[in-house]
Structure formats: structure tokens, C-alpha cells
Amino acid sequence: MTTDQVHETVASHLCAVLADIEVRTVFGLPGITNLPVIEALRLSDATRFVVTRHEQCAGHMADASARMGANLGVLLVDLGPGLANALTAILAAGRDSVPLLVIAGNEHQTLIGREVWHEMPDTEVFGPVTRYCGAVPSAEAFPRYLRQAIQAATTARPGPAFLSVPKNLWSEPVGAPRAAFTPTAAPAPDRNALSNSLALLRQASRPVVVAGARARRGACPDAVARLCETWSLPLVTSPNGRGVLDEAHPLCMGHAGRFGQRQASKTLLEADTLLVLGCRLDDLTTHDWHLLNDGQRVIQVDPDAHVIGQNWPTDISLVSDVAAFAEAAADAIGDGPRPGFWSLDERFAERTAERAAFLAIDDPLRVKPQAVMRHLEGAAPPDTTVVMGGGRFQQFAGEWLVRDPLGFFYAANSGTVGFALSAAIGVAIEHPHRTVLCILGDGDFMMHSQELETAIRERANVKIVILNDFAYGAMLARQATSYGTEYSNPDFAELAAVYGAVGRRVSHGGDITASVGWLFDQRGPAVLDVIVDRDETRSLLFGHDIGDKAAIAG
């Protein structure tokens, strides 16, 4: 134990641990109970504090940093209303298995429990939606509580962890050595279970790999791609698994399920054997389990034993690191003959042609969302990360061709509207050299439009495309008569200028090409306000209950 570590306060210890695990950014808002931490971050050479305009937005920014490869997203908030504002962000991170550490200051220990100003029952509220929830009782206990919270957030199935820290503890010494945090490694696959899995695969005629969010991180994508190519295994993904395998790869059938693609969903339905890698087989991926049947054999591989069999029975269960399993399975095929599995080349070609026809829909006067997506995809640099909002326009934006694990995400399992703008800003802050493209609806944008100020202040290179239909379109589409779903909007290009960003409005189909070119020429935050044809309802989504599923014609 060094002399410096002996005299570390709770606040400085927190900052030192975050630096040790390579957390570059803490997002949040200041309050009377967390100012000592913000001061410690000011003095830190490794981790900086980014102040936002709302706690939910800060949470989504922290979430996005973890989705893009950070070891941990970190959110710092004040007690009471500030903490309550973060609940939606915590829910979104938990549903999508994102490692997020939430630290809230609390009142002085002598006041807690007396219903003082701003007080709330924080651990009672947040316990059910977090992987770990703790109220720190003393400065000496803080390192242990912090270690447990980080462990819970990052191990097995990741998710949010919450720590409540009384404000009088921040300046007290921890009086203990700072132990290096060592993440728990997921086990290698059991040899017998691996052998049985491969035997079951060899017996299959129509196997498919089903890849989820846990297959997107670290070494997993390369290992899964090698497995698929070695065994000639087709692959479908969950919404959060997109990018595990390049969606232009002939073995990738796309993402399946409620918001998924027809060919991927058909592949999942017709398969006789499922090799499930880091996926829960949830309602979205399986369209409320209608794409599964009792005749299918299921091999499920996941680092978290609680996920296995959670939603569907398995024939073989492996608690294992996904990458380790995929590498071992690829190696095990050896030099012998390859299994004769089904060929889905025609299905892949059908999907490619159907998508091209859908994106070719255009009009010289009315702005077709499909045309906007075609031009965006054609102009976006290879290193682009797309953050998609929630709502009706997923039927257009969701057709983006995802080429790599960092290329696309959204708040899939929570369905959070009001996520995309903040998350995109978080990506741009953490990855200033990437192009970040935020595609969302007008209702989504207005929920967090104040974060344009954060984007300007942080010089975040985020491109914001608002598909503007002056309505909560997903709800309007379900109404026989419009009531309570339409509204007016400001000119979002002018609003961007008020904040100090640049903006442009598009209301004619013939202006799309030039406007998209303008967007990608900008450096820093830029807003494209696109007045879309609200009557355009054609959709390729397999299970969504809105949109015209009739044959696509240009």
C-alpha cells in the first residue's frame, strides 16, 4: 500500500479505480451531494466529467460508451429527483445487457431516513432494475462496495449497478490499499458438452447460428465469423446482435423477429437445429416465440447460466465464453469432410434484391423515407456508427446494412423513445474520429433536443437526421381516426442554429442527394430536418403490426 493510497478519500479512490479500468468519461449532472467527485475528476489526468442537460440523457450517453467497447459506462447524479430522472436510462441499459455503473450522492448519514429535502428510497426503487444495488455505510467499506458493483455490472450478463453514497463520506479516507480490479473470465466450454454439441450439429440438415448481444463484444465477432465460414453455417441475429457478421456476407440472413427481416425470420422458423450464441431467445428475436417449435434441437451457449433455458428449453447447455466456444468449434471440424447443410444462397439473393427494390422507392416531389436511407447509406463513410431512434421509422432506418459490430445500435429491448440523440452524442464524445449518424423521428428528437447544447460544447461530430412527420407516427398508424397523436414542430434547422449548430430542411424529393452530401461535409453537430411523406407505409419488417407488407414496387 502506497502513502497516496493510504490517504485516498472516497472521491479520489473512485476516480483512481475508474482510471485503472480505463474509463475515460463520466457523464452526469452536478448536485450538492456529488460535488467532491466532480472536483476529483477535475484533477484527474485519466477520466473527465461531461455535464449534460438531463440525467436520463447522461445515462444514455454512458450506456452508449459501453456499447461501443468501453469496459464500463459511468453515470454520476445527485439524490432524489436527479436520480429518479435516470431511471429510464438504467432500464434501457439493463434490458440490453449494457455494463453501467450509476453513482448517486445521498444526504448526510445523520439525515437519511427522515424524509429530508430531495430524499427518496433509492435502493428500494432501483434494486429491482439493477444487477447490484448498495448503500455505502462507511468510507472503509467503499472499496468493497465499489468492487462488487463493478463486478456485477461487467460479469456474466452485464447490466446496471447502483451505489448510493452519503455526501459526508466523499472526503473521508478509505484507509485501505487499492487492489487492482480483475474482471472475472468466463469459462472455456466443457469438453464433453462441446463434443456433444458438434455431434448434434453434424446430425442436422438445417442448422442456424442465432447470435445475440454477447456475441458482439471483444473477440466474439471474429470467432463467430470463423465458425460460420468453417462449417458453412448460416446465421441470424437478435436486434442487439446485428453486426456480429457482416450483413453483406452470404451466410448472414439478417436479424429475425418482430422488427426483423422476412428471410431471417423464415430461416429461424425452418431450422432443425439452433446454435444459440450469447442470445436469450427473447420475444423480439423469436416474434413472441412463434418462430420456434418443439421439433427444433437447441444448443445454447452463454457466460450467464441464468440466461440458458430462460425462454426456451435446450438440448445442450454450455456456460461458456462465446468466443472460446466458437474458436473451439471451428478448430474441431479438422480436415475431414464438411457436413452437407442447407444452402441459403437463393434466400440471401432474394433478400438482397428485395431490399434494393425497397430502397429504390423514390419520388421527385414527396420525400420518401426509403430514398433518404438509400442516399445516407451510399454517402456514409465506412467507419460510421448509426444510432437509431424508436418509433415508426424503424421500418425504414432498420434496413441499414450493418457491416461491423460498432456499426449500428438502438435501445432494442426497452423500446425507449428519447434514447437515440443522447446515445449518439455519447458515441461522438467517446469516439471523436468516427462518423456518428443519428436517425430518429421528430417525437423522439423533441424529448431530448436540449442536448444539442452538449453536442456543441463538446464538439461532438454527430449527424442528426430527423424523419419528420409531425406526429407520434407509430401510434397514429394504429388509429382509425387521429386523436392525441399529432402536433406541430419548430423548424429543426432553425432550432439547430439557435444552439450554434448548423441545420438544413428538406421537403422535396429532388433535394435529398444534395442535402445528404451537405450533411456529411459538415464538421461538428449538424441537423437535417426531413419532411417525409407520411402516407408512405410500405415495410419489409417481418412481424411489426404497422406498415404495408404488400410486394414492393418502385
Side-chain angles (χ1 to χ4, degrees):
M1 178 169 57
T2 67
T3 302
D4 287 344
Q5 288 179 358
V6 170
H7 295 290
E8 273 185 348
T9 64
V10 168
S12 61
H13 179 87
L14 170 63
C15 293
V17 170
L18 295 180
D20 286 347
I21 60 175
E22 300 180 348
V23 172
R24 297 194 301 261
T25 310
V26 173
F27 298 90
L29 268 75
I32 58 172
T33 64
N34 64 21
L35 285 176
V37 183
I38 295 174
E39 174 62 13
L41 288 167
R42 183 184 71 83
L43 300 174
S44 172
D45 295 327
T47 308
R48 60 188 291 255
F49 179 68
V50 171
V51 62
T52 70
R53 309 310 297 264
H54 193 281
E55 290 85 357
Q56 181 183 338
C57 303
H60 292 323
M61 292 181 198
D63 170 321
S65 70
R67 290 181 195 247
M68 291 293 291
N71 293 324
L72 185 68
V74 181
L75 170 64
L76 177 67
V77 296
D78 196 19
L79 82 166
L83 175 57
N85 282 345
L87 181 58
T88 300
I90 293 169
L91 173 65
R95 292 302 313 278
D96 284 351
S97 302
V98 178
L100 178 68
L101 176 62
V102 182
I103 300 174
N106 204 343
E107 260 298 353
H108 193 287
Q109 284 176 301
T110 58
L111 300 178
I112 293 174
R114 303 178 69 178
E115 296 191 25
V116 297
W117 188 54
H118 280 174
E119 188 179 6
M120 69 175 291
D122 50 12
T123 55
E124 291 89 338
V125 171
F126 288 90
V129 293
T130 55
R131 304 284 189 269
Y132 176 92
C133 186
V136 179
S138 67
E140 293 78 10
F142 180 77
R144 175 168 55 88
Y145 274 69
L146 178 62
R147 185 171 63 252
Q148 291 173 347
I150 295 173
Q151 188 85 3
T154 57
T155 302
R157 183 184 175 191
F162 171 67
L163 282 180
S164 175
V165 185
K167 67 180 184 181
N168 57 292
L169 298 186
W170 291 122
S171 59
E172 294 185 10
V174 295
R178 187 191 335 131
F181 176 77
T182 304
T184 301
D190 175 80
R191 289 186 179 182
N192 289 334
L194 174 65
S195 177
N196 293 337
S197 299
L198 302 184
L200 195 59
L201 274 179
R202 289 184 182 277
Q203 296 169 17
S205 298
R206 301 183 306 280
V208 66
V209 174
V210 186
R214 291 308 304 271
R216 280 183 65 176
R217 293 183 68 88
C220 292
D222 288 342
V224 172
R226 179 169 172 255
L227 168 65
C228 290
E229 291 169 347
T230 302
W231 284 73
S232 297
L233 285 166
L235 175 141
V236 303
T237 74
S238 71
N240 282 324
R242 298 186 66 183
V244 170
L245 186 64
D246 184 345
E247 290 184 348
H249 194 294
L251 288 172
C252 183
M253 295 298 110
H255 61 294
R258 186 182 305 168
F259 302 112
Q261 296 153 338
R262 186 169 61 84
Q263 290 79 6
S265 300
K266 186 177 181 181
T267 299
L268 182 56
L269 177 64
E270 294 178 352
D272 61 9
T273 303
L274 313 182
L275 176 56
V276 184
L277 302 179
C279 177
R280 295 188 298 116
L281 292 178
D282 56 57
D283 58 317
L284 293 186
T285 307
T286 65
H287 195 207
D288 293 332
W289 300 280
H290 294 307
L291 298 177
L292 304 182
N293 62 77
D294 293 337
Q296 292 170 324
R297 311 298 298 274
V298 178
I299 305 161
Q300 190 168 7
V301 182
D302 202 282
D304 185 1
H306 296 93
V307 167
I308 296 175
Q310 178 188 51
N311 288 318
W312 197 260
T314 64
D315 293 276
I316 300 176
S317 304
L318 288 94
V319 178
S320 170
D321 177 76
V322 171
F325 173 89
E327 290 287 2
D331 291 341
I333 197 168
D335 298 324
R338 269 43 176 174
F341 298 142
W342 56 345
S343 173
L344 297 178
D345 292 347
E346 290 186 8
R347 187 168 294 180
F348 178 80
E350 176 190 39
R351 164 65 188 156
T352 302
E354 185 177 78
R355 180 177 178 274
F358 181 69
L359 294 181
I361 293 171
D362 208 343
D363 189 289
L365 298 178
R366 307 179 80 177
V367 180
K368 297 293 185 179
Q370 297 94 328
V372 176
M373 295 307 303
R374 183 179 74 251
H375 285 286
L376 287 171
E377 192 172 276
D383 68 342
T384 298
T385 295
V386 174
V387 184
M388 182 175 73
R392 186 172 78 90
F393 290 110
Q394 288 183 0
Q395 69 192 78
F396 310 110
E399 289 300 321
W400 191 272
L401 196 68
V402 183
R403 308 301 301 270
D404 67 79
L406 299 182
F408 181 95
F409 69 87
Y410 69 113
N413 285 294
S414 66
T416 302
V417 178
F419 168 87
L421 177 61
S422 299
I425 294 169
V427 175
I429 290 172
E430 283 281 276
H431 299 270
H433 301 298
R434 288 189 73 92
T435 299
V436 183
L437 179 60
C438 178
I439 306 173
L440 74 173
D442 48 313
D444 197 326
F445 176 77
M446 283 296 285
M447 290 184 181
H448 285 170
S449 61
Q450 76 276 359
E451 294 303 333
L452 279 176
E453 188 280 324
T454 304
I456 290 292
R457 173 169 27 91
E458 291 293 325
R459 299 181 175 87
N461 186 29
V462 58
K463 313 304 174 195
I464 303 159
V465 178
I466 305 168
L467 301 177
N468 187 354
D469 66 355
F470 297 89
Y472 292 117
M475 300 302 106
L476 178 63
R478 293 173 167 89
Q479 291 181 316
T481 302
S482 172
Y483 184 74
T485 53
E486 296 182 87
Y487 44 71
S488 61
N489 282 323
D491 183 316
F492 292 129
E494 294 182 1
L495 181 64
V498 170
Y499 278 107
V502 293
R504 186 164 175 167
R505 173 168 272 198
V506 184
S507 56
H508 292 87
D511 296 334
I512 297 173
T513 304
S515 297
V516 168
W518 168 87
L519 180 72
F520 286 110
D521 284 342
Q522 306 307 305
R523 181 67 191 172
V527 173
L528 202 61
D529 182 7
V530 185
I531 312 302
V532 296
D533 178 4
R534 196 162 77 181
D535 295 329
E536 176 54 62
T537 61
R538 284 168 284 189
S539 173
L540 296 181
L541 295 184
F542 170 79
H544 203 207
D545 61 348
I546 60 173
D548 182 2
K549 307 299 193 300
I552 300 301

